[in-house]
Amino acid sequence: MPIPTSRTLPGILLPLAALWLGMAPSTLDYRVQDLINQALAADASEQIVIVAIDEKSLAQLGRWPWPRELLAEAIGKLGHARAVGLNLLLAEHSEHPESDQALARAIAQNGKVYLPAFPEPDGTTLRPTLPLPMLAHAARGVGVSDFPPESNGEIRRTYLASGPGDTRLPSFAALVAGQSTSTTSSSNPGDWGRSQPRLLPHLDSDTRFTTIPMAELLSNNQADPRLQDKTVFVGVTAAGSGDEHFTAIQRNQAKSNGVFINAALAQGLQQNTLATPLSPGWRAGLLLALALGWQLLARRRKSLHPIRQAALFVGGMLLGDTLLYQLLHIELGTATLGLLILMAATSNFFLLQSHFKKLAFTDKLTGLANRHHFDERIVLALQHSQLERQALALLVLDVDHFKRYNDHYGHAAGDDILRQIAQVIASMARSPQDTVARIGGEEFALLLPDASQKQAEAIATELRYRLLSRQIPHHSSPLGRVSCSIGIYADTPEPDATVRSIFEQADQALYQAKRNGRDQACVADGLLATRI
């Protein structure tokens, strides 16, 4: 049995994991961030109003799409709004050209209407589906409503500028919110490009934007004071509209429609609270610094409670992550790294506990089992042999004239001899069920479950032969070399047999071997011992 060495997880694993996690936040990072930031989320802004094409309006005004004169009438009633975002796809001509013209006139007369463009698949890339040219010309601006889904289908981010080739249209929500966004050019003219990413905000689940059904707006002959100097979004909210997306904006609302998402984005832009995701390089660098910081702390400040220490460190990480998000509006995401730190600390703790347990059962000089471990193993072996009526063998070995060897060669040389003999005895173990132990100064034991007398004798003979073959000099011995005497117990224990009785028989056989001149093995036979 080799001397157990301290084992912990390789230190390089955590930094490597941090670099890998730096590529993008994991689902766990998102979920933990959502839980924390939803709990800290702001109320829906009173400065934003949604004019909803809802079930009530559809029931009163008919199925969608409506005649565009209705939309023109609605826009005419929004003249006292600060800005109007018409969150509708108006890319095709109506059946009656005068309807499109009426809507264009209403948009131009209002002077504060913004229209969206939507990215649509076109082969391997995207192209913008733009509003009709006459409507776009009449509007104050056209922006892109671009919410690319994550791999799980959830929408978590938008871009303040996106478009095909070297064209970058500003975000629709940013235009309506009155926020100017810079645009950039693409070096790949055929590709859809995106820049200035922002995360969707979180809103308190108990609040809602002021919502006015379209039918109510059209039926009101007077200006609605709820719209005065407000940012207004007009869009479809009716269930089954096809404009519903999985988001984490509110805790109790798994899906959000497009007009609600744009309204939430406009609030975040107006309040300057939209978070920016870190680039993979920055994210990987910060996570790597946290991982290395934990490892440095764990090495320099040894704790009796390493799991608690790790939990406190991870709690500090999550607090710092939350402050970074809430105060500086930067997304990092440390939950997965924190979980890995906790797992590593827990694994290392139990690995070290296992290591210490092995040390408690191991003889430090030889690496064999110590007397304590041997005593536990022989009790179990005896109980098993008695229960199964199986044979049990015990070899007790003593180094001949070991005191003379120490006196002649010194204690360091004596320790070396004990290690060599331990190697020889350990080489005789047949399986992990066999126990090789140092049970005294120069005394060893070999416990052999389910071994017959003949097998035990053969093992003892082979053991002495292997020691003889080493020809270790011992000038203070009559033989001139290191030798050993062996006492053997080999029998099927009776039900009343005890560890003490078995050990006494093996011990008696050992002393008989010594009385017979040493360098031999004797087998216990009741109270007698027979040389082999």
Side-chain angles (χ1 to χ4, degrees), residues 62-67:
R63 296 177 58 187
W64 184 262
W66 295 333

Side-chain angles (χ1 to χ4, degrees), residues 67-94:
R68 288 183 176 169
E69 287 85 354
L70 282 178
L71 294 178
E73 182 182 351
I75 290 173
K77 293 178 178 293
L78 299 175
H80 55 302
R82 189 198 66 78
V84 178
L86 197 58
N87 196 78
L88 299 171
L89 180 60
L90 301 170
E92 297 181 359
H93 292 280
S94 64

Side-chain angles (χ1 to χ4, degrees), residues 264-282:
L265 283 171
Q267 173 177 334
L269 287 163
Q270 288 176 344
Q271 298 176 351
N272 195 29
T273 57
L274 290 187
T276 302
L278 285 173
S279 66
W282 273 103

